Amino acid sequence: MKKVMYILSNIDKSNEFEWVADRMDKSRFAISFISIHSQENTAHHQFCKERNIPFFHVSYAGKKDIATALWQTVKILRREKPDVVHAHLFEGGLIGITAAFIAGIKKRIYTRHYATQHHEYAPSGVKYDKLVNKLSTQVIATCGNVQEVLTEMEGCPENKVVLIHHGFPLEDFSDVSADRIQAIKDKYQLHTHPVIGVISRYLHLKGIQYIIPAFARLREKYPTAKLVLANAKGEYKSTVQQMLQQLPEEAYVEIAFEHDNAALFKSFDVFVHVPINCRIEAFGQIYIEALAAGIPGVFTLSGVAPDVVKDGENALVVDFENAEQIYSAIDRLLSDDDLRRKIIKNGLSSLDRFTIEQKVSALEKLYEA
């Protein structure tokens, strides 16, 4: 049996890791987790306790803790002796892959969860990305965009990069009870029409600064329209909230975190996700989740979108940084029932490559190789 140790950083709860842990073949793989986090008692820790999955906490509150966290991780790896280390996220990769190299773990896999964020916003971080790429025996790209960033912009050897899309239990997003949807509508007062949904952290790269003026114009035609901004946290928060002041208080709601994401999607009439350029989004799980939920979307082609989104077929595509096109696309979806039905139908049938079963199967093959 292969011992696979996941190393995560700054994760309180993640459906992705829960889905994988529940579906991994327990007769072939014994999984465990190292959580690099400021707190030990996270939702992910509770998930592991409920399933008797070994869980190790490494205290980490910031850059000053890197050396201590690295040494603690090395000690855990030397004691547990996993066959495979699979690290995720920036600190998880920098600390986890480096520790696995020092501890002599022969199979060191890193999943790259961001694309050009360091190149565009923190150039000093690129050297650490290249170090993690070098120390990893394999680097997983979540979509073609990340694959190109790794090989073309960072010089990672092509034979080291493996493309594995994120996978989803797609039925969880399509099969949502009316009671759950009603509970979300009651919770956030989403009883007006239309409801325009956004699920993005408050980061400049997500393009929320172009959605708000588009929505303000939409309110002129649809006075009862409501904007939902979920996952409403991040370093761009003050700018976003300043822009929201142009709207009446009843016109929008900010949601820091909602556990029932599928029901939240089902509460939207239109979903909008518009990262600001083609490289900046690493994957964009919400592209897939919106399609799976049957919610018509307005998208820019970033992250995984070029792999799956077709303009006028399963979504409407707009140019980058273009509030006018965002407004026009939302308005078109709200006023053309035939187009909505077509987009919803095609969206649901375009997701064969993104099942959680396919992802787990690809990971199992990689761990055994």
Side-chain angles (χ1 to χ4, degrees):
M1 182 180 289
K2 293 271 188 181
K3 294 175 65 177
V4 180
M5 180 166 279
Y6 289 92
I7 302 180
L8 318 178
S9 56
N10 303 314
I11 289 290
D12 178 74
K13 175 180 174 59
S14 172
N15 289 332
E16 176 186 359
F17 297 111
E18 294 179 10
W19 295 334
V20 170
D22 281 342
R23 289 165 175 81
M24 193 72 66
D25 186 343
K26 308 300 189 299
S27 69
R28 294 155 55 205
F29 303 97
I31 65 172
S32 56
F33 286 90
I34 292 178
S35 172
I36 299 171
H37 198 285
S38 58
Q39 298 178 6
E40 181 175 2
N41 295 317
T42 60
H44 183 68
H45 187 191
Q46 183 61 35
F47 169 85
C48 290
K49 283 169 63 175
E50 290 171 356
R51 286 158 176 76
N52 293 317
I53 297 172
F55 176 95
F56 305 92
H57 174 243
V58 170
S59 181
Y60 179 84
K63 294 178 182 177
K64 62 180 177 57
D65 298 325
I66 285 180
T68 303
L70 176 64
W71 179 238
Q72 287 181 328
T73 305
V74 169
K75 289 196 293 185
I76 294 169
L77 293 175
R78 284 177 172 167
R79 184 177 68 244
E80 298 299 317
K81 298 180 173 55
D83 300 293
V84 180
V85 161
H86 188 170
H88 295 260
L89 305 162
F90 177 63
E91 287 91 345
L94 182 61
I95 295 169
I97 292 296
T98 304
F101 178 80
I102 294 170
I105 308 300
K106 289 189 167 53
K107 201 167 191 65
R108 303 178 299 277
I109 301 170
Y110 174 59
T111 293
R112 176 69 169 260
H113 286 275
Y114 52 93
T116 59
Q117 192 166 345
H118 283 161
H119 292 267
E120 298 192 34
Y121 294 99
S124 62
V126 174
K127 62 179 177 290
Y128 299 112
D129 292 333
K130 291 182 176 180
L131 174 64
V132 173
N133 296 342
K134 182 176 181 180
L135 295 181
S136 300
T137 55
Q138 276 122 358
V139 181
I140 295 176
T142 55
C143 65
N145 174 44
V146 174
Q147 193 171 28
E148 291 175 2
V149 171
L150 288 165
T151 57
E152 297 176 12
M153 298 181 68
E154 297 177 8
C156 191
E158 290 185 10
N159 62 0
K160 183 182 278 194
V161 179
V162 182
L163 177 62
I164 300 178
H165 290 307
H166 286 307
F168 305 81
L170 299 174
E171 66 282 357
D172 286 3
F173 291 90
S174 59
D175 186 15
V176 182
S177 71
D179 288 345
R180 286 168 57 197
I181 298 169
Q182 189 61 47
I184 289 291
K185 289 183 175 182
D186 292 344
K187 183 176 182 179
Y188 299 114
Q189 297 300 300
L190 305 181
H191 300 298
T192 60
H193 176 82
V195 175
I196 310 304
V198 179
I199 303 179
S200 289
R201 284 176 298 148
Y202 283 172
L203 303 174
H204 178 267
L205 63 92
K206 297 294 186 180
I208 300 169
Q209 61 270 32
Y210 301 99
I211 298 173
I212 294 172
F215 178 78
R217 185 170 171 196
L218 189 77
R219 284 269 301 183
E220 296 173 9
K221 184 172 181 179
Y222 298 91
T224 59
K226 192 156 191 174
L227 179 64
V228 176
L229 296 168
N231 210 3
K233 54 197 172 191
E235 63 227 33
Y236 205 50
K237 184 172 183 175
S238 61
T239 301
V240 171
Q241 291 186 327
Q242 186 175 6
M243 294 184 73
L244 286 171
Q245 290 177 12
Q246 68 182 283
L247 300 172
E249 285 188 17
E250 69 273 12
Y252 67 92
V253 58
E254 295 178 280
I255 301 172
F257 178 78
E258 172 52 51
H259 177 73
D260 196 349
N261 224 31
L264 183 61
F265 269 110
K266 287 289 194 178
S267 304
F268 302 153
D269 294 297
V270 176
F271 180 71
V272 185
H273 187 57
V274 288
I276 62 172
N277 65 50
C278 64
R279 291 287 201 197
I280 197 65
E281 185 73 275
F283 184 87
Q285 296 188 30
I286 51 180
Y287 286 119
I288 307 303
E289 291 172 353
L291 293 171
I295 305 303
V298 174
F299 298 142
T300 53
L301 292 179
S302 189
V304 76
D307 299 355
V308 66
V309 171
K310 296 192 183 334
D311 184 31
E313 294 297 319
N314 58 6
L316 292 185
V317 174
V318 297
D319 290 339
F320 299 108
E321 302 180 321
N322 195 315
E324 177 64 26
Q325 288 190 17
I326 295 170
Y327 158 74
S328 297
I330 296 173
D331 184 39
R332 188 179 165 197
L333 286 171
L334 292 173
S335 29
D336 189 335
D337 289 341
D338 289 338
L339 177 64
R340 283 177 61 86
R341 284 191 288 268
K342 173 186 174 183
I343 280 177
I344 290 169
K345 179 181 177 182
N346 291 341
L348 291 169
S349 63
S350 61
L351 302 175
D352 292 346
R353 292 170 291 164
F354 300 98
T355 68
I356 185 62
E357 289 77 18
Q358 284 180 304
K359 175 179 178 174
V360 170
S361 176
L363 288 175
E364 289 176 343
K365 289 176 183 176
L366 189 61
Y367 298 156
E368 288 185 322

